[in-house]
Amino acid sequence: MQGYRDLVVWQKAMGLAEATYRLTQSFPSEEKFGITSQARRAAVSVPANIAEGYGRGTRPAYANFVRIAQGSLKELETHLLLAERVGLCASADIHGLLADADEIGRMLRGLINKLSPRT
């Protein structure tokens, strides 16, 4: 592995962030500082925290940042579900994103397990 950009989980997280940006482009302008901003921020936080943790250079720090990425992923899922509930998008619009989030979540858990010390 050359760096964090080679990690499939980072690549998938970048794809999810891009898809989130595309989805939220159709949200009403009055949501610019509301759910649009919150969903985008959470989506970007996932790959950004993977990258930042990698750059810290220690396994414990890396694992901590991957845990933060996992929390941001759950935050994103919540924003997407709320957007559907309040009628900003249809269930079909977020179905694929939520499936991707589930896969990324499993990958993050695997990475955390790999980075955590064996007891």
Side-chain angles (χ1 to χ4, degrees):
M1 181 174 73
Q2 298 295 317
Y4 67 89
R5 290 178 287 180
D6 295 319
L7 293 171
V8 174
V9 68
W10 180 84
Q11 294 168 5
K12 288 185 177 287
M14 287 290 287
L16 180 59
E18 180 182 347
T20 300
Y21 265 76
R22 292 187 193 287
L23 172 71
T24 57
Q25 285 175 341
S26 66
F27 288 5
S29 60
E30 63 264 16
E31 285 299 329
K32 180 178 180 181
F33 299 109
I35 200 162
T36 299
S37 174
Q38 292 293 318
R40 288 177 173 186
R41 184 190 56 75
V44 169
S45 182
V46 179
N49 276 293
I50 295 168
E52 185 172 355
Y54 183 90
R56 294 294 173 141
T58 68
R59 290 173 74 99
Y62 192 9
N64 187 54
F65 276 90
V66 175
R67 285 185 192 95
I68 293 168
Q70 195 171 45
S72 295
L73 184 65
K74 296 306 177 192
E75 181 182 354
L76 173 60
E77 290 174 3
T78 301
H79 293 313
L80 294 173
L81 290 166
L82 180 60
E84 179 207 0
R85 282 183 168 204
V86 299
L88 296 175
C89 59
S91 178
D93 295 334
I94 64 167
H95 179 76
L97 277 71
L98 292 174
D100 291 345
D102 283 342
E103 180 183 14
I104 293 165
R106 287 189 300 276
M107 295 174 83
L108 290 173
R109 281 190 297 280
L111 183 55
I112 290 166
N113 288 337
K114 183 178 177 183
L115 294 169
S116 296
R118 313 265 187 250
T119 56

